[in-house]
Structures are given as C-alpha cells and as structure tokens.
Amino acid sequence: MDNFVVTICLLNGLLMLLTIMGNVLVLTAMLTTPSLRSPSTIFLCGLAVSDLLVGFVVKPIYIGFRLNPGPELEHLAYILVSFACSVSFCTMTAISVDRFMALYFHLRYPDMMTNKRAVNISLSLWFLACTTSCIRLWNVTYAKLVMALGIAICLMISTLLYIEIYQIARKHQLQIQIQQQPIMQTETVDHKQNLTRWKRSALNTSI
C-alpha cells in the first residue's frame, strides 16, 4: 500500500478522534448549562453536530475509500463531504449574521432572534445543505460549481460582517473614550485593558 495513503488515513483517524472528543465536550457543556442556552449557542450546537457527523460518518467512510477504492464508496464519501462542508459554512455564516445583529440591533435583538427562530434557521440550513449535496447525484460538475459558489458567498458574507462588527466596535470605543476623558487615570487604564481583552476575544471568534 502507498505510504501516502497510509499517512492520509492515519492523519484522518487522529483528526476523527479529536473531532469526536472535542465536539462531545462542547455539546455536553452547552446542553447541561442552562445559562448558555441562547440563539448564539444554538447555532454553535448546530456547528458541533455537523462536526460530529464528520467524525462519526464522513471520516470513516473516507478512510475506507482510501484503503479500498471503489466508485460507489467514492461517490458516497464526496456526497457526505459536500453535505458536512455545506452545513459548516452555512452555520458559520449564520453565526456571523447573529453576532452582527446582536451588536447592531442590540435593543431589538431579543425580539428579532429567539431560541425557536434560531432552531428553525438551523434546520433550514441543514435542509439546504442536504439539497445542494444531492446535486452530485444528478451532475458532478454542476455540483462542484454550486459548492464553490456557496463557499465563496459564505466567506464573503462572513468577512464583510466581521469588518462591519469591527467598525461598530471601533465607533463605540471612540465614544466611550470621549465620555471617559474626565475619569480618573486608574479607571482609564482598566478600561483600556478591558478593550484589549475584548479585541483579542473578537479576533479569536473571527478566526
């Protein structure tokens, strides 16, 4: 057997275990902590479930295809890969939209985005991902084009929204600095430290 194939299978096996363990911990924390239940965590749960699908189903089938190549297994592997990728990209885009809404419409956000609405959106994204991934059964070339276009749109929307989020946060930062000019120096230092922590948190979220 080719050393490259063996290496690919070993790496996928390791990533499969890490994916399963990591996302099980994420789901356990969210489902057992009532204070974490919000529209944002519902989207994160959807992302974790799609990653679990990758760990439990997609990667084992892909490893099987690599070890024992065949047209049927190849077809199934790439359909599942397309489905999992579609769910992940759509959900990540929904998360960026949700966080933009929470910042831009901070007063109306609780009425605009409820837990029930977040669940309905998540289910709709899963249905959309299932539909687009099944296009491969009809036309492989067309399915690849749809997949590439979908990824490009999701990345563009997420990028633009995170840029807008940064600009809104920057505007709020300047307003706070103007309002706090008369405040004592020690409070200004604490405020700058809080802003530094917030920027790092926002950067980690976008990554």
Side-chain angles (χ1 to χ4, degrees):
M1 186 177 293
D2 191 354
N3 290 333
F4 175 75
V5 173
V6 174
T7 303
I8 289 294
C9 291
L10 290 175
L11 287 175
N12 274 275
L14 177 62
L15 290 173
M16 178 180 68
L17 295 176
L18 292 175
T19 299
I20 292 172
M21 289 188 295
N23 286 284
V24 165
L25 291 175
V26 169
L27 286 173
T28 301
M30 291 181 179
L31 294 176
T32 58
T33 309
S35 61
L36 292 178
R37 293 171 191 171
S38 65
S40 297
T41 55
I42 288 173
F43 290 126
L44 289 174
C45 280
L47 187 61
V49 171
S50 70
D51 288 343
L52 274 180
L53 176 67
V54 173
F56 276 119
V57 180
V58 178
K59 285 193 176 295
I61 291 178
Y62 181 75
I63 292 172
F65 160 67
R66 283 293 185 179
L67 294 175
N68 187 22
E72 287 137 13
L73 206 54
E74 178 184 11
H75 215 47
L76 178 60
Y78 281 107
I79 287 176
L80 290 173
V81 167
S82 299
F83 174 69
C85 287
S86 298
V87 171
S88 295
F89 274 101
C90 288
T91 305
M92 286 189 290
T93 304
I95 291 172
S96 63
V97 173
D98 174 72
R99 291 182 178 176
F100 171 77
M101 290 175 59
L103 185 62
Y104 191 79
F105 304 104
H106 57 281
L107 295 178
R108 292 184 293 162
Y109 174 76
D111 296 325
M112 296 174 64
M113 184 60 70
T114 61
N115 288 350
K116 182 178 179 181
R117 191 165 293 173
V119 170
N120 291 335
I121 292 173
S122 296
L123 293 176
S124 299
L125 293 177
W126 278 71
F127 177 77
L128 176 64
C130 181
T131 303
T132 54
S133 61
C134 288
I135 294 177
R136 188 180 179 89
L137 297 173
W138 171 54
N139 189 304
V140 175
T141 303
Y142 186 63
K144 290 180 179 179
L145 290 174
V146 171
M147 186 71 179
L149 181 61
I151 290 174
I153 291 173
C154 288
L155 289 175
M156 181 179 67
I157 292 174
S158 295
T159 302
L160 291 175
L161 287 177
Y162 276 116
I163 291 173
E164 187 65 23
I165 288 172
Y166 174 80
Q167 290 176 346
I168 294 173
R170 179 67 176 172
K171 181 180 177 181
H172 288 176
Q173 175 185 349
L174 293 175
Q175 290 175 345
I176 293 172
Q177 286 177 344
I178 293 173
Q179 293 173 357
Q180 290 196 344
Q181 282 179 354
I183 297 178
M184 296 175 60
Q185 184 68 26
T186 55
E187 293 184 3
T188 303
V189 171
D190 291 339
H191 176 64
K192 288 182 179 179
Q193 291 176 347
N194 290 334
L195 286 175
T196 300
R197 285 195 294 268
W198 189 93
K199 286 180 182 178
R200 290 175 180 172
S201 176
L203 178 61
N204 292 335
T205 300
S206 63
I207 291 174

